[in-house]
Amino acid sequence: MFAGDLCLPSMPPNAISESNRGTLDRLECDLILIDNEQLSPVDAYRFYGYDALDQPFWGYGVEVARMDNSSEIFVLMRRDEQSDVDKSLHWMLLTDLYSRKQAYLFYQVLDTEGPSEAAMHESLKLFRDVFDYAVDTGWDYETRLEFYHSYPFEELLTKEAVMAFRPVLFGCPAFADIGYDVPECE
């Protein structure tokens, strides 16, 4: 749908991923909490962590999976693209990730290249609308991961940039096949 030669991560063993409906429900719940100023969109979805080579990175938590018969939670991380590292997707334990506030408190690291709160909020609204479409059309695991990988987080650092991207996204061929009525910006 989005990219033909993309290497997608497999699910962690014994993990149960969110369904399209589960992702949509989580996004709707989080957006209510954000609108009521009970949740920061950046602290809830932007994380700092260390990769398998112990290299630090910033990225976005885009999906969750729970371990069967366990309280462990995995987060599918969309790593930021950097000059020497391509953007990538990989599963990490939530306990190995840090919010912006935690990254500063524990490691004195500032997120100088991430989105504004308003931009992240607007991206989550866009994701909600995408997952409304995903529920209606039955996206599979691979299609969801292709979308996460293709989403241009690094270019959408302001609310205005996300709002300008909305008609571009919903105008692409991936969404054109069924004549989906694109929600307007709020």
Side-chain angles (χ1 to χ4, degrees):
M1 178 174 192
F2 293 98
D5 59 349
L6 183 60
C7 180
L8 301 173
S10 32
M11 286 289 297
N14 301 318
I16 301 168
S17 178
E18 288 180 306
S19 65
N20 292 329
R21 169 59 61 194
T23 300
L24 179 60
D25 291 346
R26 175 179 47 82
L27 287 165
E28 288 176 339
C29 181
D30 286 351
L31 284 166
I32 290 169
L33 294 172
I34 292 165
D35 289 340
N36 291 333
E37 298 180 3
Q38 296 174 316
L39 181 68
S40 158
V42 173
D43 281 341
Y45 284 87
R46 178 95 171 136
F47 296 102
Y48 179 75
Y50 289 87
D51 64 17
L53 301 174
D54 212 27
Q55 297 298 310
F57 72 93
W58 284 100
Y60 299 87
V62 292
E63 187 163 319
V64 297
R66 297 187 186 278
M67 294 302 293
D68 194 22
N69 298 322
S70 169
S71 61
E72 288 184 314
I73 297 173
F74 280 88
V75 177
L76 180 63
M77 290 297 298
R78 165 52 161 71
R79 181 184 179 141
D80 284 358
E81 188 168 15
Q82 301 166 348
S83 59
D84 60 336
V85 179
D86 288 337
K87 63 185 172 186
S88 61
L89 294 168
H90 48 102
W91 288 100
M92 294 188 66
L93 281 169
L94 179 59
T95 56
D96 293 338
L97 298 169
Y98 305 92
S99 70
R100 286 176 19 166
K101 291 176 185 175
Q102 292 169 326
Y104 182 73
L105 289 172
F106 298 145
Y107 299 101
Q108 291 71 51
V109 176
L110 292 173
D111 182 13
T112 59
E113 298 180 14
S116 68
E117 291 280 334
M120 194 71 230
H121 189 187
E122 201 62 37
S123 282
L124 293 174
K125 291 177 189 177
L126 185 86
F127 273 49
R128 176 199 53 210
D129 295 340
V130 165
F131 273 89
D132 191 32
Y133 172 83
V135 167
D136 289 347
T137 60
W139 276 11
D140 60 13
Y141 175 75
E142 182 176 293
T143 303
R144 289 196 316 266
L145 269 58
E146 289 173 349
F147 169 73
Y148 298 140
H149 188 274
S150 300
Y151 191 78
F153 283 108
E154 294 84 2
E155 299 172 27
L156 304 177
L157 301 179
T158 66
K159 178 179 179 177
E160 295 75 20
V162 178
M163 292 172 73
F165 179 68
R166 177 181 282 273
V168 173
L169 174 66
F170 284 108
C172 79
F175 292 97
D177 59 346
I178 66 159
Y180 188 68
D181 187 22
V182 181
E184 293 294 321
C185 297
E186 296 175 9

